[in-house]
Amino acid sequence: MLGFLNEPNLPASVATTTRNGNTALAMMWFLVEDGRFWFHTPEGGSRPTAFLDAARDQRDVSVMMATFNPPEDVRQVRFSGPARIETKDVARVRRIYERYVPEWTTTWIDHAASPNTFLWSVSPHRGMAVAYPGLQNRPTFRWSKVSEFFDLAPLTG
């Protein structure tokens, strides 16, 4: 499964609720490392960022990574768990961006180090993973402890 999650250019759909109870959904770049999923998000001006608020409050967020190219490539990992703000680690931020950006330029270097961006992470406390090669039913892997997530079988066809 980690092979699937480490595929280049695979985005994550991330969902949470705002402090007012409204839903927020965004596609984000991510990195799986040290038993957590890592994200890097800018905070802009007077607009609150629901994902950073959730991380500051250590609330749960939901995350999904999926491919949908039937009939051969239908894979999905979904999980939820608590988010948290992390100490800025420009090297880790760079590893996130290098999965998606073909060339590491001074613009990306400046963005990674900007004081208006925040590194945050999510622990995959509970979730499921499934693959449907050829649209055939396969076992669904479920977990309810972080340690179980990293023990799952490969998510391959």
Side-chain angles (χ1 to χ4, degrees):
M1 180 174 44
L2 291 178
F4 167 63
L5 295 173
N6 286 323
E7 288 179 7
N9 299 315
L10 180 68
S13 297
V14 184
T16 190
T17 55
T18 67
R19 289 183 176 156
N20 296 340
N22 298 321
T23 57
L25 176 66
M27 296 292 286
M28 296 186 183
W29 296 348
F30 72 95
L31 175 70
V32 182
E33 204 171 73
D34 298 330
R36 302 187 70 78
F37 286 76
W38 298 84
F39 303 91
H40 189 243
T41 301
E43 186 162 54
S46 62
R47 291 184 57 184
T49 304
F51 304 99
L52 294 177
D53 286 346
R56 285 184 184 104
D57 297 342
Q58 297 187 2
R59 288 186 278 126
D60 278 5
V61 299
S62 295
V63 180
M64 180 175 75
M65 293 79 164
T67 61
F68 189 75
N69 189 19
E72 294 305 318
D73 187 13
V74 180
R75 296 172 288 167
Q76 188 178 91
V77 173
R78 297 186 309 218
F79 66 87
S80 60
R84 69 181 188 207
I85 296 288
E86 302 285 355
T87 301
K88 180 70 81 121
D89 178 346
V90 175
R92 191 181 308 263
V93 171
R94 183 175 181 147
R95 288 192 298 277
I96 293 170
Y97 283 83
E98 284 178 338
R99 295 186 61 213
Y100 304 91
V101 177
E103 186 177 319
W104 192 249
T105 64
T106 55
T107 301
W108 287 111
I109 292 168
D110 292 345
H111 177 71
S114 169
N116 298 324
T117 60
F118 293 86
L119 182 64
W120 60 283
S121 70
V122 178
S123 178
H125 277 202
R126 61 207 154 277
M128 58 84 66
V130 67
Y132 299 106
L135 299 178
Q136 299 172 17
N137 282 330
R138 294 288 172 100
T140 299
F141 300 97
R142 298 184 186 278
W143 67 93
S144 58
K145 291 188 265 184
V146 175
S147 60
E148 294 171 338
F149 172 79
F150 290 99
D151 291 338
L152 291 178
L155 190 61
T156 61

